[in-house]
Structures are given as C-alpha cells and as structure tokens.
Amino acid sequence: MLWYKDDEIEIDFNIIPCTTMLFPLPSMTKQEKKAVTDKPFLNKKPLFVTVLDKRKTEQVEYRFRIEKGYRWDGGTIPRIFWRVIGSKTQPEFQISSLIHDALTENKGFIGNDRLLSSKIFRGLLISSGVGKFKSDVMAFFVDGYQRFCHW
C-alpha cells in the first residue's frame, strides 16, 4: 500500500499501521509505569515497510519489518517548542516517529543512510497531514540532531 511518494523516495506498507498509546495504571509497578512513561507508544501488528530510494542513478529498495509489540517514545520534541510544533503525543506524528525510531535503532535497515532516514521522516509527516513547512523544519532539526549524535 503506497503511503508516500516523491521524486526521491517511495514508502509502502503492507497494512495500515496499527498503533496505540499506553497509559500508566494504578495497578502497575514503578518500573512498569516508568516503561510506559518513557515509551508510551505500541505497534499492535507486524508492519512490513518497503522504501525505494530514487536519489541515485540506480534505485535501491530496502525492506524491513517492525515487530508487533515494538515500543517507542513518539516525536522527541523539546517542551519549549510544543506550542509551535506540537507535543510528541499528537496523532499526526505517530507513524513518522514509529518508522524513524525503528530506523535509528536499526540503521542497517536502510544501509546506514542518515539522510535517507530524515527524508523518510519528512515524507511520513507530510502524508500524515503535517504541512510542508513544518515537516521541513522538523526534518531539518531531526537530521541535525542525528548528525550531532554521529550518525
């Protein structure tokens, strides 16, 4: 199922991503509450992702799977920018942050290509209804942060 396409990349999923947000419950231990607070999002079904990188003369196709039960923290947006960008719990950031977090934890999924991961993040934001300007700004800062962290 085609999710996003432009002149440089194409992103396909085998199904519509199925995610949910978890909340700490009174019955949870301190450790369980911390785990839910740190990574509140949960992938509910195995997701097969295909990325076609069309930036070079020869197109390269990457295929990877994000397992059912995969947990991530959402969009890592500093609180100071929440009024301008939004918070990590906004629904339109969920799929892009799912894929991007899986890529940062598994760089080999896309041949250790930092710039491609930023382009994927941007494309998924756009396909989720985030405006082009905000998507460009978010991808710019994500790419800068990745560069700072030596990816």
Side-chain angles (χ1 to χ4, degrees), residues 18-103:
C18 184
T19 63
T20 192
M21 184 172 173
L22 305 173
F23 299 92
L25 302 172
S27 60
M28 292 179 169
T29 65
K30 265 187 178 177
Q31 188 176 15
E32 290 170 328
K33 286 180 183 178
K34 182 174 177 3
V36 166
T37 303
D38 290 348
K39 292 189 175 185
F41 296 101
L42 173 73
N43 185 39
K44 293 174 71 175
K45 293 183 179 178
L47 180 64
F48 293 89
V49 183
T50 303
V51 175
L52 184 60
D53 183 357
K54 304 184 282 186
R55 296 174 298 160
K56 299 175 181 122
T57 347
E58 288 197 30
Q59 297 180 13
V60 179
E61 183 176 275
Y62 299 99
R63 294 175 183 256
F64 56 93
R65 175 183 170 145
I66 300 174
E67 298 294 331
K68 173 183 178 180
Y70 176 75
R71 301 265 304 271
W72 77 103
D73 67 349
T76 310
I77 302 165
R79 185 181 277 286
I80 192 167
F81 298 114
W82 284 8
R83 286 188 181 241
V84 177
I85 300 293
S87 74
K88 71 180 185 177
T89 59
Q90 288 190 215
E92 61 267 27
F93 300 156
Q94 215 169 44
I95 293 171
S96 55
S97 66
L98 161 66
I99 304 303
H100 189 263
D101 283 15
L103 291 175

